[in-house]
Amino acid sequence: MNLVVISNRVARGKANEPMTGGLAAALLPVVENSGAIWVGSSGRVRDGFQKEPFAEIEALGCGALAMLDLPAAHYGGYYEGFANSALWPALHSRSDLIRTSQGDYLSYREVNAFMARALMRFRKPDTAFWVQDYHFLALGAELRELGVTEPIGFFLHTPWPAAAVVEGVPHHRELIEAMLAYDLIGFQTTQDCDNFLSYVRDDLELPVRDGIVSSRHGRTRLAVFPIGIDAEKFATGAAKAISHPDVSRLRRSLNGERLAIGVDRLDYSKGLVNRIHAFDRMWTLHPTLARTVSLLQIATPSRGGIEAYGNLQNEVARLVSDVNGRHGEVDWTPIRYLNKGFSQSVLAGLYRTAQVGVVTPLHDGMNLVAKEYVAAQNPADPGVLVLSKFAGAANELDTALLVNPYDIDGMARVIAMALSMPLTERRMRYEAMMDKLKSHSITHWFANFIRALQESRSERAPSIADQAMGEPEMPEPMWRMRGAHGVARFH
């Protein structure tokens, strides 16, 4: 099988470069080891008609990366507009932050159509397309319009919210009908899958049986594939990373203090404001912990052009300053706050150094930081994971200390508990979580999805044959009809 993986961005994964997020960390080993071609944006845009859209193709292990310049006229509306100012807040149940326009939606659909046309150069009789994440909800439908009959799967790395939230997204019905062009749609958790099933059954009034939706596109299987990591490889890297200069400097600077660590993109879904309030509360409730434990919070800025992100960055910086001013001493800083990214190798060493890992999103698809923190620990003296029950990882890592990120006092108590947990209990919890990480690895995730995609395609085939033989031609999609009036098409 010739596998083509598609995401908004691709990552080269060089050892000393910062990692841009969980999706990049997850897909790198898949591409390197499977021989897949990974296609995505180069991060650049280009004006005008592009006969040859690919700016760069390079090898990555057994596979390859193909980086594409996206159309300048539509990139802003696609990325900062509809994808990250409509879909992202909705998918994280923040309807109050949806900000978008008709033009944004048209640009989103144009970029999905543009990507579909670009992918045709990779199409072979044995090709399977695996589309990643919310940037390309409609890409499967665009590929079908171009005549693609090969397997097309989709995996959502974010949560999928309740129907009442989805209905707040403009054009939600049209988008979800387009998603049913995929043979297989994968989710991180059972709750996400159930939410999607409820929408297609109740809002679209489509028949659903045994997790398979029947629509005008044929049959689409919905299933759960919790994403994993290579825990053993990450553990080996963490042990080596202790000697990295950045990690060594951190260890020396602690002067015997214990360390809690949080590593997140600077995003409102990550619960950073509540986390800082919880540490503030902990030092207030437990003054003996002052000068004995500090928080290293790494928060990598992203999507700076979106108002909600700029507001969050200002709020977090102000809170950190307030807490440090209230609890700090001339020779002790309670919160070490860094607005920059680190490579996976350095992060592994930082995780291993910290006695407590704090992963407390308000809502998250999986949050691989939780799994990486556990894998990085010293088996003889492991740290403790404090984990939001609203992270997808909580479904597997149930021996972590699970918290409600909206309960500030509760989080403060649990973080203090983690700091005083005896070694025997820490090892018991760590070993139980490592067993699950090893049995639900990134390799298992990849193999399970591809196997299910192949099975789903064979299930779908009769419906497609039936459509080809007798069903009436479907009308032109509404977005395309609107697009004909003043929105450029890239043919």
Side-chain angles (χ1 to χ4, degrees):
M1 181 182 66
N2 175 49
L3 181 64
V4 179
V5 178
I6 305 99
S7 67
N8 176 60
R9 289 284 186 94
V10 300
R12 289 179 169 87
K14 294 179 180 176
N16 298 317
E17 288 186 358
M19 188 60 67
T20 55
L23 187 151
L27 291 182
L28 275 170
V30 167
V31 174
E32 288 176 329
N33 299 325
S34 71
I37 300 169
W38 183 3
V39 183
S41 167
S42 64
R44 298 182 297 269
V45 296
R46 185 175 298 182
D47 292 316
F49 182 80
Q50 296 169 248
K51 269 191 172 179
E52 178 55 66
F54 287 97
E56 189 175 357
I57 299 177
E58 63 183 47
L60 179 68
C62 297
L65 303 177
M67 288 155 285
L68 171 70
D69 295 351
L70 295 183
H74 294 291
Y75 185 79
Y78 149 75
Y79 183 73
E80 289 191 344
F82 197 77
N84 286 310
S85 294
L87 291 177
W88 180 269
L91 291 168
H92 292 84
S93 298
R94 289 299 304 271
S95 302
D96 59 307
L97 294 177
I98 294 175
R99 305 284 187 273
T100 193
S101 67
Q102 175 71 7
D104 289 343
Y105 177 68
L106 295 176
S107 288
Y108 179 85
R109 295 302 301 259
E110 288 289 352
V111 170
N112 275 240
F114 177 89
M115 180 62 78
R117 291 191 294 276
L119 290 171
M120 296 305 286
R121 70 177 291 179
F122 294 113
R123 186 188 179 197
K124 300 176 182 177
D126 64 342
T127 295
F129 295 94
W130 187 3
V131 180
Q132 309 287 325
D133 229 6
Y134 62 101
H135 306 87
F136 293 120
L137 298 184
L139 181 52
E142 296 295 343
L143 287 168
R144 297 292 184 215
E145 283 205 16
L146 295 175
V148 172
T149 57
E150 290 77 24
I152 311 176
F154 176 84
F155 185 79
L156 184 69
H157 292 260
T158 71
W160 186 272
V165 177
V166 176
E167 289 163 3
V169 178
H171 309 284
H172 57 91
R173 186 182 183 94
E174 192 174 297
L175 269 178
I176 295 171
E177 286 176 342
M179 289 178 70
L180 297 175
Y182 290 111
D183 296 294
L184 174 66
I185 300 176
F187 300 89
Q188 298 278 25
T189 71
T190 300
Q191 182 65 62
D192 298 329
C193 189
D194 288 347
N195 285 342
F196 190 91
L197 275 169
S198 295
Y199 180 94
V200 297
R201 184 182 57 239
D202 300 337
D203 287 57
L204 299 186
E205 298 180 337
L206 293 174
V208 179
R209 183 175 179 182
D210 298 328
I212 296 175
V213 183
S214 297
S215 73
R216 68 180 179 85
H217 294 287
R219 291 193 284 266
T220 301
R221 181 190 289 189
L222 310 180
V224 178
F225 304 90
I227 195 168
I229 63 171
D230 186 336
E232 293 175 324
K233 180 179 178 181
F234 202 88
T236 300
K240 293 178 180 177
I242 287 295
S243 60
H244 189 281
D246 287 347
V247 179
S248 297
R249 284 198 301 273
L250 172 65
R251 293 169 72 88
R252 286 194 301 270
S253 73
L254 290 170
N255 294 319
E257 285 176 49
R258 287 168 294 173
L259 183 71
I261 190 170
V263 177
D264 309 86
R265 275 193 315 104
L266 193 55
D267 189 284
Y268 46 77
S269 67
K270 302 301 183 182
L272 294 175
V273 170
N274 290 20
R275 185 183 306 168
I276 293 165
H277 281 308
F279 274 87
D280 182 19
R281 188 69 174 147
M282 182 192 72
W283 284 308
T284 300
L285 293 174
H286 304 281
T288 56
L289 291 177
R291 303 180 65 88
T292 69
V293 58
S294 58
L295 169 65
L296 171 60
Q297 178 59 60
I298 296 170
T300 311
S302 68
R303 303 170 190 162
I306 300 174
E307 182 181 3
Y309 288 82
N311 292 341
L312 177 65
Q313 184 164 9
N314 293 336
E315 183 179 8
V316 172
R318 179 184 58 78
L319 277 173
V320 169
S321 179
D322 289 348
V323 172
N324 283 343
R326 187 157 45 251
H327 297 287
E329 304 288 349
V330 292
D331 58 346
W332 178 63
T333 302
I335 300 177
R336 306 173 184 217
Y337 179 55
L338 300 177
N339 284 139
K340 61 181 181 179
F342 290 87
S343 68
Q344 286 289 94
S345 58
V346 172
L347 286 176
L350 299 179
Y351 294 144
R352 195 177 180 95
T353 299
Q355 285 72 35
V356 178
V358 189
V359 183
T360 55
L362 305 178
H363 204 177
D364 224 340
M366 177 54 67
N367 203 306
L368 292 178
V369 167
K371 296 186 174 186
E372 291 171 350
Y373 175 80
V374 172
Q377 296 310 295
N378 178 354
D381 186 20
V384 180
L385 175 63
V386 175
L387 178 62
S388 166
K389 64 182 182 179
F390 302 126
N395 293 306
E396 298 168 85
L397 305 182
D398 53 1
T399 55
L401 293 182
L402 299 181
V403 296
N404 175 359
Y406 296 95
D407 180 1
I408 304 301
D409 282 5
M411 276 202 292
R413 287 193 299 271
V414 170
I415 295 166
M417 182 192 308
L419 290 162
S420 62
M421 186 179 291
L423 176 61
T424 303
E425 183 177 355
R426 285 189 278 124
R427 290 182 65 174
M428 179 275 293
R429 291 175 181 271
Y430 160 80
E431 288 165 4
M433 288 188 283
M434 277 298 283
D435 285 344
K436 290 191 175 180
L437 293 184
K438 290 175 182 177
S439 62
H440 297 88
S441 69
I442 185 72
T443 304
H444 289 99
W445 173 75
F446 170 73
N448 290 342
F449 190 96
I450 295 302
R451 186 183 309 113
L453 178 58
Q454 291 170 324
E455 292 170 359
S456 299
R457 189 59 189 163
S458 64
E459 292 169 353
R460 188 185 187 95
S463 291
I464 290 177
D466 291 346
Q467 284 188 2
M469 290 174 64
E471 278 200 18
E473 186 177 341
M474 294 303 297
E476 184 82 350
M478 286 302 294
W479 79 270
R480 252 188 240 284
M481 294 169 67
R482 296 188 203 101
H485 301 283
V487 178
R489 297 297 311 281
F490 287 80
H491 290 291

